[in-house]
Amino acid sequence: MFIEVYDNMNRCTAEEVAAMLPLVSAQRREQALKYKHVFGQWTCLKSWLMLQKHIGNADWHYNEYGKPYVPNRPEFSLSHCKHGIAVAVDSRPLGIDIESIRENKPELIARTMNEAEQAYIGNSAVRFTELWTKKEAFLKYKGTGIIDDLLHVLDNTGTVTFETIIKTNYIYTVCYEKN
């Protein structure tokens, strides 16, 4: 498995976007330019360039839930937040999520975390972000995105492994099948 995290987000400029546009497929250029803000354009392009090193420059396809894939290439997952971009590539299905650590509202915790998770979180933004990245990485692994009941996403994950890395400003989790 290959995991790459990029956290030099101060390179996010209009000039960098212009420099990256010719390096990606027409499909990816079109997708990047749909974002109204430079940050969205930049992360869209940068994440693809990180991934392109491992799967080549090809057009994406999407499953019924919108999960991207490239036929006859390795499995991949990518994510980005204010503080970083995370890309994972492997021969097995996988999902990755990266989130900035920030204070969360009690109503968000109540809507997305069950009682045991809420007890684990307490008042910790780090613990909330850790559980959130696990849930989102698992849903990306499944290929469905956030359509499941978020309160019970982690109740039945017996066939997967989670690796969570906690940094100063962000947390990322990768979810993949056990060997």
Side-chain angles (χ1 to χ4, degrees):
M1 177 180 316
F2 171 80
I3 299 170
E4 181 178 1
V5 176
Y6 182 88
D7 58 10
N8 187 7
M9 303 305 274
N10 63 351
R11 298 213 41 197
C12 176
T13 65
E15 293 77 20
E16 281 288 314
V17 168
M20 289 188 284
L21 283 170
L23 304 176
V24 300
S25 69
Q27 178 195 37
R28 196 64 177 169
R29 278 192 301 277
E30 181 180 322
Q31 187 173 3
L33 294 174
K34 286 180 183 177
Y35 289 93
K36 293 179 184 177
H37 301 287
V38 169
F39 183 80
Q41 295 171 356
W42 186 83
T43 55
C44 180
L45 294 165
K46 181 65 178 173
S47 61
W48 177 249
L49 289 171
M50 290 167 62
L51 182 60
Q52 186 176 301
K53 292 185 287 188
H54 304 283
I55 67 169
N57 191 8
D59 286 341
W60 289 16
H61 298 263
Y62 297 90
N63 76 8
E64 63 190 286
Y65 301 103
K67 180 179 180 174
Y69 69 94
V70 176
N72 305 313
R73 304 285 173 92
E75 298 280 334
F76 67 88
S77 183
L78 42 86
S79 182
H80 55 79
C81 67
K82 178 180 178 183
H83 291 100
I85 299 169
V87 173
V89 179
D90 197 42
S91 60
R92 302 169 286 186
L94 72 160
I96 196 165
D97 187 49
I98 186 170
E99 297 291 336
S100 299
I101 299 170
R102 61 188 181 284
E103 293 302 317
N104 296 289
K105 297 180 173 144
E107 53 274 7
L108 177 63
I109 293 171
R111 248 188 6 256
T112 61
M113 303 292 167
N114 63 40
E115 287 182 25
E117 292 165 343
Q118 289 179 38
Y120 172 74
I121 291 167
N123 292 322
S124 172
V126 170
R127 287 184 174 187
F128 173 83
T129 306
E130 172 195 354
L131 287 177
W132 181 265
T133 63
K134 284 183 178 180
K135 289 181 180 207
E136 195 162 333
F138 180 68
L139 294 171
K140 287 180 174 185
Y141 157 82
K142 285 177 50 179
T144 61
I146 302 177
I147 64 165
D148 290 345
D149 171 13
L150 288 176
L151 296 177
H152 301 287
V153 166
L154 299 178
D155 290 353
N156 188 18
T157 61
T159 63
V160 299
T161 297
F162 295 95
E163 290 183 25
T164 300
I165 306 299
I166 300 172
K167 297 289 188 173
T168 303
N169 296 323
Y170 62 89
I171 296 174
Y172 71 90
T173 298
V174 63
C175 173
Y176 56 93
E177 291 180 2
K178 293 178 182 175
N179 286 333

